[in-house]
Amino acid sequence: MPPHRRRLAPADRRAQLLAVGARLFAAHPYADVLMEEVASEAGVSRALLYRHFPSKDALFAAVYQQAADRLLAETRLDPTDSLVEQLIQGMDVHLDYFVANRNAVLAANRVLAGDPLIQTIMANELDALRARLLAVLPLADESAREAVSGVLKSWLVFVQVLCVDWLTQETCTRTELRDVCVGAVLGALRPLLAEDPAPDWPPRGLGAGA
């Protein structure tokens, strides 16, 4: 057992281990993160680490769930903002995380793409985002809601795939990536809504951002 280990309540220890895991998964490719390193960074024994997280996959899933919860909390869909403002804010929050945690995002979407728990976390986050968007869109009736829901489901997957590919190879600027995603959903929704959700989109000079 490492010397001078500070005693913490179980919830505080778990939070500490998650913070260390999040930092290491962000800084290194998934394969390069060792549980021994997590324990050493946290100043605990491997036995204690494994009591909280029985495997590296379990630790990563807990880190990713925490990140998904934080992203949802920071994604504000304020009805006083325009739809474009809400979409831009949500995209910026997610892109901030993707850029800062490139290794973790690539691990979740590439290395652990077949892991049922990771897929469940992703699916739940996308479902929550879709429900929030449905709540702020001007829908005429239930049939319009079903059609828009289907479009949003496909668009969220499109955004996920496009952003992961962009992390692998930046073929455009971040602003261009964000505006492509925003423009894609606005173009897809216009035929389904009684009123144009963004009459001023695209803005003049779109694509010139850095």
Side-chain angles (χ1 to χ4, degrees), residues 142-180:
E142 188 59 32
S143 63
R145 180 184 178 84
E146 291 180 6
V148 168
S149 179
V151 166
L152 291 175
K153 181 177 182 179
S154 297
W155 173 72
L156 287 165
V157 173
F158 162 79
V159 169
Q160 181 182 21
V161 172
L162 187 62
C163 289
V164 170
D165 285 347
W166 181 79
L167 287 176
T168 304
Q169 181 180 5
E170 294 186 18
T171 54
C172 62
T173 69
R174 171 182 160 149
T175 300
E176 288 168 342
L177 173 68
R178 183 198 69 191
D179 289 346
V180 164

PDB file of all heavy atoms in Angstrom, residues 142-180:
ATOM      1  N   GLU A 142     -48.737  15.688 -34.006  1.00  0.00           N
ATOM      2  CA  GLU A 142     -47.992  14.503 -33.599  1.00  0.00           C
ATOM      3  C   GLU A 142     -47.260  13.857 -34.768  1.00  0.00           C
ATOM      4  O   GLU A 142     -46.156  13.334 -34.604  1.00  0.00           O
ATOM      5  CB  GLU A 142     -48.936  13.481 -32.942  1.00  0.00           C
ATOM      6  CG  GLU A 142     -48.232  12.296 -32.300  1.00  0.00           C
ATOM      7  CD  GLU A 142     -47.249  12.705 -31.203  1.00  0.00           C
ATOM      8  OE1 GLU A 142     -47.506  13.719 -30.524  1.00  0.00           O
ATOM      9  OE2 GLU A 142     -46.232  12.005 -31.020  1.00  0.00           O
ATOM     10  N   SER A 143     -47.863  13.890 -35.953  1.00  0.00           N
ATOM     11  CA  SER A 143     -47.181  13.289 -37.106  1.00  0.00           C
ATOM     12  C   SER A 143     -45.910  14.073 -37.449  1.00  0.00           C
ATOM     13  O   SER A 143     -44.881  13.490 -37.814  1.00  0.00           O
ATOM     14  CB  SER A 143     -48.117  13.249 -38.318  1.00  0.00           C
ATOM     15  OG  SER A 143     -48.487  14.560 -38.717  1.00  0.00           O
ATOM     16  N   ALA A 144     -45.983  15.393 -37.312  1.00  0.00           N
ATOM     17  CA  ALA A 144     -44.783  16.207 -37.527  1.00  0.00           C
ATOM     18  C   ALA A 144     -43.733  15.886 -36.470  1.00  0.00           C
ATOM     19  O   ALA A 144     -42.532  15.825 -36.780  1.00  0.00           O
ATOM     20  CB  ALA A 144     -45.135  17.692 -37.482  1.00  0.00           C
ATOM     21  N   ARG A 145     -44.167  15.658 -35.260  1.00  0.00           N
ATOM     22  CA  ARG A 145     -43.236  15.325 -34.183  1.00  0.00           C
ATOM     23  C   ARG A 145     -42.489  14.032 -34.494  1.00  0.00           C
ATOM     24  O   ARG A 145     -41.272  13.941 -34.303  1.00  0.00           O
ATOM     25  CB  ARG A 145     -43.989  15.199 -32.855  1.00  0.00           C
ATOM     26  CG  ARG A 145     -43.093  14.841 -31.671  1.00  0.00           C
ATOM     27  CD  ARG A 145     -43.922  14.644 -30.404  1.00  0.00           C
ATOM     28  NE  ARG A 145     -43.081  14.269 -29.289  1.00  0.00           N
ATOM     29  CZ  ARG A 145     -42.411  15.130 -28.532  1.00  0.00           C
ATOM     30  NH1 ARG A 145     -42.501  16.412 -28.760  1.00  0.00           N
ATOM     31  NH2 ARG A 145     -41.665  14.696 -27.528  1.00  0.00           N
ATOM     32  N   GLU A 146     -43.209  13.036 -34.990  1.00  0.00           N
ATOM     33  CA  GLU A 146     -42.576  11.755 -35.312  1.00  0.00           C
ATOM     34  C   GLU A 146     -41.564  11.919 -36.443  1.00  0.00           C
ATOM     35  O   GLU A 146     -40.461  11.357 -36.400  1.00  0.00           O
ATOM     36  CB  GLU A 146     -43.629  10.717 -35.682  1.00  0.00           C
ATOM     37  CG  GLU A 146     -44.496  10.281 -34.509  1.00  0.00           C
ATOM     38  CD  GLU A 146     -45.531   9.249 -34.910  1.00  0.00           C
ATOM     39  OE1 GLU A 146     -45.490   8.790 -36.070  1.00  0.00           O
ATOM     40  OE2 GLU A 146     -46.367   8.894 -34.068  1.00  0.00           O
ATOM     41  N   ALA A 147     -41.930  12.695 -37.454  1.00  0.00           N
ATOM     42  CA  ALA A 147     -41.022  12.905 -38.580  1.00  0.00           C
ATOM     43  C   ALA A 147     -39.777  13.663 -38.135  1.00  0.00           C
ATOM     44  O   ALA A 147     -38.650  13.302 -38.496  1.00  0.00           O
ATOM     45  CB  ALA A 147     -41.740  13.663 -39.690  1.00  0.00           C
ATOM     46  N   VAL A 148     -39.968  14.715 -37.345  1.00  0.00           N
ATOM     47  CA  VAL A 148     -38.842  15.510 -36.864  1.00  0.00           C
ATOM     48  C   VAL A 148     -37.961  14.682 -35.935  1.00  0.00           C
ATOM     49  O   VAL A 148     -36.730  14.766 -35.979  1.00  0.00           O
ATOM     50  CB  VAL A 148     -39.342  16.780 -36.159  1.00  0.00           C
ATOM     51  CG1 VAL A 148     -38.207  17.475 -35.407  1.00  0.00           C
ATOM     52  CG2 VAL A 148     -39.961  17.730 -37.175  1.00  0.00           C
ATOM     53  N   SER A 149     -38.570  13.856 -35.094  1.00  0.00           N
ATOM     54  CA  SER A 149     -37.806  13.003 -34.190  1.00  0.00           C
ATOM     55  C   SER A 149     -36.882  12.072 -34.971  1.00  0.00           C
ATOM     56  O   SER A 149     -35.714  11.868 -34.600  1.00  0.00           O
ATOM     57  CB  SER A 149     -38.750  12.187 -33.305  1.00  0.00           C
ATOM     58  OG  SER A 149     -38.022  11.332 -32.443  1.00  0.00           O
ATOM     59  N   GLY A 150     -37.387  11.516 -36.067  1.00  0.00           N
ATOM     60  CA  GLY A 150     -36.561  10.643 -36.895  1.00  0.00           C
ATOM     61  C   GLY A 150     -35.394  11.382 -37.528  1.00  0.00           C
ATOM     62  O   GLY A 150     -34.271  10.865 -37.588  1.00  0.00           O
ATOM     63  N   VAL A 151     -35.666  12.597 -37.986  1.00  0.00           N
ATOM     64  CA  VAL A 151     -34.594  13.409 -38.574  1.00  0.00           C
ATOM     65  C   VAL A 151     -33.537  13.734 -37.521  1.00  0.00           C
ATOM     66  O   VAL A 151     -32.327  13.632 -37.780  1.00  0.00           O
ATOM     67  CB  VAL A 151     -35.169  14.708 -39.175  1.00  0.00           C
ATOM     68  CG1 VAL A 151     -34.048  15.699 -39.483  1.00  0.00           C
ATOM     69  CG2 VAL A 151     -35.953  14.402 -40.438  1.00  0.00           C
ATOM     70  N   LEU A 152     -33.969  14.128 -36.341  1.00  0.00           N
ATOM     71  CA  LEU A 152     -33.019  14.483 -35.280  1.00  0.00           C
ATOM     72  C   LEU A 152     -32.173  13.277 -34.863  1.00  0.00           C
ATOM     73  O   LEU A 152     -30.962  13.412 -34.610  1.00  0.00           O
ATOM     74  CB  LEU A 152     -33.763  15.034 -34.066  1.00  0.00           C
ATOM     75  CG  LEU A 152     -34.415  16.401 -34.241  1.00  0.00           C
ATOM     76  CD1 LEU A 152     -35.216  16.768 -32.994  1.00  0.00           C
ATOM     77  CD2 LEU A 152     -33.371  17.475 -34.535  1.00  0.00           C
ATOM     78  N   LYS A 153     -32.798  12.111 -34.807  1.00  0.00           N
ATOM     79  CA  LYS A 153     -32.045  10.904 -34.442  1.00  0.00           C
ATOM     80  C   LYS A 153     -30.925  10.648 -35.445  1.00  0.00           C
ATOM     81  O   LYS A 153     -29.777  10.388 -35.076  1.00  0.00           O
ATOM     82  CB  LYS A 153     -32.990   9.702 -34.369  1.00  0.00           C
ATOM     83  CG  LYS A 153     -32.301   8.410 -33.962  1.00  0.00           C
ATOM     84  CD  LYS A 153     -33.304   7.267 -33.835  1.00  0.00           C
ATOM     85  CE  LYS A 153     -32.621   5.991 -33.377  1.00  0.00           C
ATOM     86  NZ  LYS A 153     -33.594   4.870 -33.214  1.00  0.00           N
ATOM     87  N   SER A 154     -31.245  10.741 -36.735  1.00  0.00           N
ATOM     88  CA  SER A 154     -30.232  10.523 -37.771  1.00  0.00           C
ATOM     89  C   SER A 154     -29.181  11.633 -37.756  1.00  0.00           C
ATOM     90  O   SER A 154     -27.983  11.375 -37.944  1.00  0.00           O
ATOM     91  CB  SER A 154     -30.898  10.449 -39.144  1.00  0.00           C
ATOM     92  OG  SER A 154     -31.781   9.356 -39.212  1.00  0.00           O
ATOM     93  N   TRP A 155     -29.623  12.866 -37.524  1.00  0.00           N
ATOM     94  CA  TRP A 155     -28.678  13.992 -37.519  1.00  0.00           C
ATOM     95  C   TRP A 155     -27.683  13.869 -36.378  1.00  0.00           C
ATOM     96  O   TRP A 155     -26.486  14.127 -36.560  1.00  0.00           O
ATOM     97  CB  TRP A 155     -29.439  15.315 -37.399  1.00  0.00           C
ATOM     98  CG  TRP A 155     -28.519  16.490 -37.226  1.00  0.00           C
ATOM     99  CD1 TRP A 155     -27.697  17.051 -38.172  1.00  0.00           C
ATOM    100  CD2 TRP A 155     -28.300  17.250 -36.028  1.00  0.00           C
ATOM    101  NE1 TRP A 155     -26.995  18.106 -37.638  1.00  0.00           N
ATOM    102  CE2 TRP A 155     -27.342  18.251 -36.329  1.00  0.00           C
ATOM    103  CE3 TRP A 155     -28.832  17.175 -34.741  1.00  0.00           C
ATOM    104  CZ2 TRP A 155     -26.914  19.167 -35.387  1.00  0.00           C
ATOM    105  CZ3 TRP A 155     -28.397  18.095 -33.796  1.00  0.00           C
ATOM    106  CH2 TRP A 155     -27.450  19.074 -34.121  1.00  0.00           C
ATOM    107  N   LEU A 156     -28.125  13.460 -35.209  1.00  0.00           N
ATOM    108  CA  LEU A 156     -27.222  13.335 -34.068  1.00  0.00           C
ATOM    109  C   LEU A 156     -26.156  12.273 -34.321  1.00  0.00           C
ATOM    110  O   LEU A 156     -24.993  12.437 -33.934  1.00  0.00           O
ATOM    111  CB  LEU A 156     -28.022  13.014 -32.797  1.00  0.00           C
ATOM    112  CG  LEU A 156     -28.834  14.188 -32.242  1.00  0.00           C
ATOM    113  CD1 LEU A 156     -29.869  13.705 -31.228  1.00  0.00           C
ATOM    114  CD2 LEU A 156     -27.906  15.229 -31.594  1.00  0.00           C
ATOM    115  N   VAL A 157     -26.546  11.177 -34.989  1.00  0.00           N
ATOM    116  CA  VAL A 157     -25.562  10.156 -35.348  1.00  0.00           C
ATOM    117  C   VAL A 157     -24.593  10.710 -36.391  1.00  0.00           C
ATOM    118  O   VAL A 157     -23.378  10.473 -36.328  1.00  0.00           O
ATOM    119  CB  VAL A 157     -26.267   8.888 -35.862  1.00  0.00           C
ATOM    120  CG1 VAL A 157     -25.243   7.888 -36.395  1.00  0.00           C
ATOM    121  CG2 VAL A 157     -27.100   8.256 -34.758  1.00  0.00           C
ATOM    122  N   PHE A 158     -25.122  11.465 -37.363  1.00  0.00           N
ATOM    123  CA  PHE A 158     -24.281  12.114 -38.377  1.00  0.00           C
ATOM    124  C   PHE A 158     -23.247  13.020 -37.720  1.00  0.00           C
ATOM    125  O   PHE A 158     -22.052  12.980 -38.068  1.00  0.00           O
ATOM    126  CB  PHE A 158     -25.177  12.914 -39.324  1.00  0.00           C
ATOM    127  CG  PHE A 158     -24.468  13.963 -40.136  1.00  0.00           C
ATOM    128  CD1 PHE A 158     -23.740  13.619 -41.266  1.00  0.00           C
ATOM    129  CD2 PHE A 158     -24.538  15.303 -39.780  1.00  0.00           C
ATOM    130  CE1 PHE A 158     -23.087  14.593 -42.017  1.00  0.00           C
ATOM    131  CE2 PHE A 158     -23.899  16.280 -40.525  1.00  0.00           C
ATOM    132  CZ  PHE A 158     -23.161  15.921 -41.644  1.00  0.00           C
ATOM    133  N   VAL A 159     -23.674  13.830 -36.767  1.00  0.00           N
ATOM    134  CA  VAL A 159     -22.765  14.742 -36.069  1.00  0.00           C
ATOM    135  C   VAL A 159     -21.690  13.945 -35.333  1.00  0.00           C
ATOM    136  O   VAL A 159     -20.500  14.291 -35.366  1.00  0.00           O
ATOM    137  CB  VAL A 159     -23.536  15.647 -35.092  1.00  0.00           C
ATOM    138  CG1 VAL A 159     -22.574  16.403 -34.176  1.00  0.00           C
ATOM    139  CG2 VAL A 159     -24.413  16.626 -35.856  1.00  0.00           C
ATOM    140  N   GLN A 160     -22.095  12.889 -34.660  1.00  0.00           N
ATOM    141  CA  GLN A 160     -21.143  12.065 -33.916  1.00  0.00           C
ATOM    142  C   GLN A 160     -20.066  11.495 -34.835  1.00  0.00           C
ATOM    143  O   GLN A 160     -18.866  11.605 -34.554  1.00  0.00           O
ATOM    144  CB  GLN A 160     -21.896  10.935 -33.207  1.00  0.00           C
ATOM    145  CG  GLN A 160     -21.009  10.026 -32.375  1.00  0.00           C
ATOM    146  CD  GLN A 160     -21.795   8.901 -31.728  1.00  0.00           C
ATOM    147  OE1 GLN A 160     -22.886   8.557 -32.177  1.00  0.00           O
ATOM    148  NE2 GLN A 160     -21.267   8.330 -30.678  1.00  0.00           N
ATOM    149  N   VAL A 161     -20.488  10.911 -35.947  1.00  0.00           N
ATOM    150  CA  VAL A 161     -19.534  10.301 -36.882  1.00  0.00           C
ATOM    151  C   VAL A 161     -18.631  11.367 -37.497  1.00  0.00           C
ATOM    152  O   VAL A 161     -17.409  11.190 -37.593  1.00  0.00           O
ATOM    153  CB  VAL A 161     -20.284   9.521 -37.978  1.00  0.00           C
ATOM    154  CG1 VAL A 161     -19.315   9.050 -39.066  1.00  0.00           C
ATOM    155  CG2 VAL A 161     -21.022   8.331 -37.374  1.00  0.00           C
ATOM    156  N   LEU A 162     -19.223  12.481 -37.910  1.00  0.00           N
ATOM    157  CA  LEU A 162     -18.450  13.545 -38.552  1.00  0.00           C
ATOM    158  C   LEU A 162     -17.406  14.120 -37.600  1.00  0.00           C
ATOM    159  O   LEU A 162     -16.251  14.352 -37.988  1.00  0.00           O
ATOM    160  CB  LEU A 162     -19.392  14.647 -39.033  1.00  0.00           C
ATOM    161  CG  LEU A 162     -18.777  15.759 -39.885  1.00  0.00           C
ATOM    162  CD1 LEU A 162     -18.214  15.190 -41.183  1.00  0.00           C
ATOM    163  CD2 LEU A 162     -19.822  16.832 -40.190  1.00  0.00           C
ATOM    164  N   CYS A 163     -17.788  14.350 -36.351  1.00  0.00           N
ATOM    165  CA  CYS A 163     -16.859  14.932 -35.385  1.00  0.00           C
ATOM    166  C   CYS A 163     -15.731  13.958 -35.034  1.00  0.00           C
ATOM    167  O   CYS A 163     -14.575  14.368 -34.870  1.00  0.00           O
ATOM    168  CB  CYS A 163     -17.611  15.344 -34.118  1.00  0.00           C
ATOM    169  SG  CYS A 163     -18.686  16.789 -34.353  1.00  0.00           S
ATOM    170  N   VAL A 164     -16.044  12.684 -34.917  1.00  0.00           N
ATOM    171  CA  VAL A 164     -14.990  11.697 -34.643  1.00  0.00           C
ATOM    172  C   VAL A 164     -14.018  11.617 -35.810  1.00  0.00           C
ATOM    173  O   VAL A 164     -12.800  11.566 -35.630  1.00  0.00           O
ATOM    174  CB  VAL A 164     -15.610  10.319 -34.328  1.00  0.00           C
ATOM    175  CG1 VAL A 164     -14.526   9.234 -34.279  1.00  0.00           C
ATOM    176  CG2 VAL A 164     -16.361  10.360 -33.002  1.00  0.00           C
ATOM    177  N   ASP A 165     -14.543  11.619 -37.033  1.00  0.00           N
ATOM    178  CA  ASP A 165     -13.665  11.627 -38.207  1.00  0.00           C
ATOM    179  C   ASP A 165     -12.790  12.889 -38.214  1.00  0.00           C
ATOM    180  O   ASP A 165     -11.610  12.838 -38.569  1.00  0.00           O
ATOM    181  CB  ASP A 165     -14.491  11.564 -39.494  1.00  0.00           C
ATOM    182  CG  ASP A 165     -15.067  10.177 -39.748  1.00  0.00           C
ATOM    183  OD1 ASP A 165     -14.629   9.219 -39.070  1.00  0.00           O
ATOM    184  OD2 ASP A 165     -15.946  10.043 -40.620  1.00  0.00           O
ATOM    185  N   TRP A 166     -13.367  14.017 -37.832  1.00  0.00           N
ATOM    186  CA  TRP A 166     -12.623  15.280 -37.802  1.00  0.00           C
ATOM    187  C   TRP A 166     -11.508  15.236 -36.773  1.00  0.00           C
ATOM    188  O   TRP A 166     -10.426  15.792 -36.995  1.00  0.00           O
ATOM    189  CB  TRP A 166     -13.587  16.426 -37.514  1.00  0.00           C
ATOM    190  CG  TRP A 166     -12.949  17.778 -37.470  1.00  0.00           C
ATOM    191  CD1 TRP A 166     -12.588  18.570 -38.531  1.00  0.00           C
ATOM    192  CD2 TRP A 166     -12.593  18.516 -36.290  1.00  0.00           C
ATOM    193  NE1 TRP A 166     -12.040  19.758 -38.086  1.00  0.00           N
ATOM    194  CE2 TRP A 166     -12.026  19.746 -36.719  1.00  0.00           C
ATOM    195  CE3 TRP A 166     -12.698  18.264 -34.917  1.00  0.00           C
ATOM    196  CZ2 TRP A 166     -11.574  20.716 -35.822  1.00  0.00           C
ATOM    197  CZ3 TRP A 166     -12.243  19.224 -34.022  1.00  0.00           C
ATOM    198  CH2 TRP A 166     -11.697  20.429 -34.482  1.00  0.00           C
ATOM    199  N   LEU A 167     -11.737  14.580 -35.653  1.00  0.00           N
ATOM    200  CA  LEU A 167     -10.679  14.435 -34.653  1.00  0.00           C
ATOM    201  C   LEU A 167      -9.521  13.610 -35.197  1.00  0.00           C
ATOM    202  O   LEU A 167      -8.366  13.816 -34.812  1.00  0.00           O
ATOM    203  CB  LEU A 167     -11.233  13.775 -33.390  1.00  0.00           C
ATOM    204  CG  LEU A 167     -12.138  14.618 -32.501  1.00  0.00           C
ATOM    205  CD1 LEU A 167     -12.672  13.778 -31.349  1.00  0.00           C
ATOM    206  CD2 LEU A 167     -11.418  15.844 -31.962  1.00  0.00           C
ATOM    207  N   THR A 168      -9.831  12.666 -36.076  1.00  0.00           N
ATOM    208  CA  THR A 168      -8.797  11.827 -36.673  1.00  0.00           C
ATOM    209  C   THR A 168      -8.015  12.602 -37.722  1.00  0.00           C
ATOM    210  O   THR A 168      -6.787  12.488 -37.825  1.00  0.00           O
ATOM    211  CB  THR A 168      -9.432  10.584 -37.312  1.00  0.00           C
ATOM    212  OG1 THR A 168     -10.206   9.888 -36.318  1.00  0.00           O
ATOM    213  CG2 THR A 168      -8.365   9.648 -37.862  1.00  0.00           C
ATOM    214  N   GLN A 169      -8.724  13.398 -38.512  1.00  0.00           N
ATOM    215  CA  GLN A 169      -8.078  14.220 -39.537  1.00  0.00           C
ATOM    216  C   GLN A 169      -8.878  15.501 -39.711  1.00  0.00           C
ATOM    217  O   GLN A 169     -10.015  15.472 -40.193  1.00  0.00           O
ATOM    218  CB  GLN A 169      -7.987  13.467 -40.868  1.00  0.00           C
ATOM    219  CG  GLN A 169      -7.296  14.263 -41.965  1.00  0.00           C
ATOM    220  CD  GLN A 169      -7.217  13.504 -43.272  1.00  0.00           C
ATOM    221  OE1 GLN A 169      -7.761  12.408 -43.399  1.00  0.00           O
ATOM    222  NE2 GLN A 169      -6.529  14.073 -44.252  1.00  0.00           N
ATOM    223  N   GLU A 170      -8.286  16.624 -39.353  1.00  0.00           N
ATOM    224  CA  GLU A 170      -8.986  17.910 -39.414  1.00  0.00           C
ATOM    225  C   GLU A 170      -8.999  18.420 -40.857  1.00  0.00           C
ATOM    226  O   GLU A 170      -8.086  19.110 -41.301  1.00  0.00           O
ATOM    227  CB  GLU A 170      -8.322  18.912 -38.473  1.00  0.00           C
ATOM    228  CG  GLU A 170      -8.447  18.531 -37.009  1.00  0.00           C
ATOM    229  CD  GLU A 170      -7.915  19.602 -36.074  1.00  0.00           C
ATOM    230  OE1 GLU A 170      -7.761  20.761 -36.516  1.00  0.00           O
ATOM    231  OE2 GLU A 170      -7.649  19.285 -34.905  1.00  0.00           O
ATOM    232  N   THR A 171     -10.055  18.083 -41.572  1.00  0.00           N
ATOM    233  CA  THR A 171     -10.173  18.468 -42.980  1.00  0.00           C
ATOM    234  C   THR A 171     -10.800  19.844 -43.163  1.00  0.00           C
ATOM    235  O   THR A 171     -10.901  20.338 -44.283  1.00  0.00           O
ATOM    236  CB  THR A 171     -11.013  17.428 -43.727  1.00  0.00           C
ATOM    237  OG1 THR A 171     -12.271  17.265 -43.040  1.00  0.00           O
ATOM    238  CG2 THR A 171     -10.299  16.080 -43.766  1.00  0.00           C
ATOM    239  N   CYS A 172     -11.248  20.462 -42.081  1.00  0.00           N
ATOM    240  CA  CYS A 172     -11.801  21.814 -42.127  1.00  0.00           C
ATOM    241  C   CYS A 172     -11.563  22.457 -40.777  1.00  0.00           C
ATOM    242  O   CYS A 172     -11.077  21.806 -39.845  1.00  0.00           O
ATOM    243  CB  CYS A 172     -13.298  21.785 -42.460  1.00  0.00           C
ATOM    244  SG  CYS A 172     -14.311  20.903 -41.235  1.00  0.00           S
ATOM    245  N   THR A 173     -11.876  23.735 -40.651  1.00  0.00           N
ATOM    246  CA  THR A 173     -11.717  24.390 -39.359  1.00  0.00           C
ATOM    247  C   THR A 173     -12.827  23.944 -38.411  1.00  0.00           C
ATOM    248  O   THR A 173     -13.858  23.413 -38.825  1.00  0.00           O
ATOM    249  CB  THR A 173     -11.767  25.915 -39.487  1.00  0.00           C
ATOM    250  OG1 THR A 173     -13.102  26.306 -39.842  1.00  0.00           O
ATOM    251  CG2 THR A 173     -10.783  26.421 -40.534  1.00  0.00           C
ATOM    252  N   ARG A 174     -12.600  24.189 -37.140  1.00  0.00           N
ATOM    253  CA  ARG A 174     -13.619  23.858 -36.141  1.00  0.00           C
ATOM    254  C   ARG A 174     -14.907  24.637 -36.400  1.00  0.00           C
ATOM    255  O   ARG A 174     -16.008  24.080 -36.295  1.00  0.00           O
ATOM    256  CB  ARG A 174     -13.078  24.153 -34.745  1.00  0.00           C
ATOM    257  CG  ARG A 174     -14.151  24.042 -33.672  1.00  0.00           C
ATOM    258  CD  ARG A 174     -13.618  24.378 -32.315  1.00  0.00           C
ATOM    259  NE  ARG A 174     -14.711  24.722 -31.431  1.00  0.00           N
ATOM    260  CZ  ARG A 174     -14.708  24.497 -30.128  1.00  0.00           C
ATOM    261  NH1 ARG A 174     -13.683  23.939 -29.555  1.00  0.00           N
ATOM    262  NH2 ARG A 174     -15.749  24.857 -29.391  1.00  0.00           N
ATOM    263  N   THR A 175     -14.796  25.912 -36.723  1.00  0.00           N
ATOM    264  CA  THR A 175     -15.988  26.717 -36.998  1.00  0.00           C
ATOM    265  C   THR A 175     -16.738  26.177 -38.208  1.00  0.00           C
ATOM    266  O   THR A 175     -17.973  26.111 -38.200  1.00  0.00           O
ATOM    267  CB  THR A 175     -15.597  28.188 -37.234  1.00  0.00           C
ATOM    268  OG1 THR A 175     -14.956  28.692 -36.065  1.00  0.00           O
ATOM    269  CG2 THR A 175     -16.823  29.035 -37.532  1.00  0.00           C
ATOM    270  N   GLU A 176     -16.017  25.784 -39.240  1.00  0.00           N
ATOM    271  CA  GLU A 176     -16.665  25.199 -40.419  1.00  0.00           C
ATOM    272  C   GLU A 176     -17.364  23.898 -40.059  1.00  0.00           C
ATOM    273  O   GLU A 176     -18.488  23.641 -40.520  1.00  0.00           O
ATOM    274  CB  GLU A 176     -15.623  24.974 -41.518  1.00  0.00           C
ATOM    275  CG  GLU A 176     -15.139  26.256 -42.169  1.00  0.00           C
ATOM    276  CD  GLU A 176     -13.922  26.062 -43.044  1.00  0.00           C
ATOM    277  OE1 GLU A 176     -13.231  25.025 -42.912  1.00  0.00           O
ATOM    278  OE2 GLU A 176     -13.649  26.963 -43.862  1.00  0.00           O
ATOM    279  N   LEU A 177     -16.722  23.071 -39.241  1.00  0.00           N
ATOM    280  CA  LEU A 177     -17.342  21.814 -38.804  1.00  0.00           C
ATOM    281  C   LEU A 177     -18.636  22.090 -38.066  1.00  0.00           C
ATOM    282  O   LEU A 177     -19.674  21.480 -38.343  1.00  0.00           O
ATOM    283  CB  LEU A 177     -16.371  21.055 -37.902  1.00  0.00           C
ATOM    284  CG  LEU A 177     -16.925  19.795 -37.225  1.00  0.00           C
ATOM    285  CD1 LEU A 177     -17.194  18.706 -38.262  1.00  0.00           C
ATOM    286  CD2 LEU A 177     -15.962  19.278 -36.159  1.00  0.00           C
ATOM    287  N   ARG A 178     -18.600  23.034 -37.136  1.00  0.00           N
ATOM    288  CA  ARG A 178     -19.805  23.381 -36.366  1.00  0.00           C
ATOM    289  C   ARG A 178     -20.910  23.877 -37.283  1.00  0.00           C
ATOM    290  O   ARG A 178     -22.074  23.466 -37.167  1.00  0.00           O
ATOM    291  CB  ARG A 178     -19.450  24.453 -35.338  1.00  0.00           C
ATOM    292  CG  ARG A 178     -20.608  24.848 -34.425  1.00  0.00           C
ATOM    293  CD  ARG A 178     -20.328  26.166 -33.754  1.00  0.00           C
ATOM    294  NE  ARG A 178     -20.348  27.275 -34.714  1.00  0.00           N
ATOM    295  CZ  ARG A 178     -19.920  28.504 -34.430  1.00  0.00           C
ATOM    296  NH1 ARG A 178     -19.388  28.779 -33.242  1.00  0.00           N
ATOM    297  NH2 ARG A 178     -19.997  29.467 -35.337  1.00  0.00           N
ATOM    298  N   ASP A 179     -20.564  24.749 -38.227  1.00  0.00           N
ATOM    299  CA  ASP A 179     -21.579  25.332 -39.107  1.00  0.00           C
ATOM    300  C   ASP A 179     -22.139  24.309 -40.085  1.00  0.00           C
ATOM    301  O   ASP A 179     -23.320  24.381 -40.477  1.00  0.00           O
ATOM    302  CB  ASP A 179     -21.008  26.539 -39.843  1.00  0.00           C
ATOM    303  CG  ASP A 179     -20.785  27.734 -38.912  1.00  0.00           C
ATOM    304  OD1 ASP A 179     -21.302  27.712 -37.782  1.00  0.00           O
ATOM    305  OD2 ASP A 179     -20.085  28.683 -39.327  1.00  0.00           O
ATOM    306  N   VAL A 180     -21.322  23.357 -40.505  1.00  0.00           N
ATOM    307  CA  VAL A 180     -21.832  22.263 -41.343  1.00  0.00           C
ATOM    308  C   VAL A 180     -22.895  21.478 -40.575  1.00  0.00           C
ATOM    309  O   VAL A 180     -23.961  21.148 -41.114  1.00  0.00           O
ATOM    310  CB  VAL A 180     -20.678  21.336 -41.779  1.00  0.00           C
ATOM    311  CG1 VAL A 180     -21.225  20.004 -42.308  1.00  0.00           C
ATOM    312  CG2 VAL A 180     -19.840  22.001 -42.867  1.00  0.00           C
TER     313      VAL A 180
END
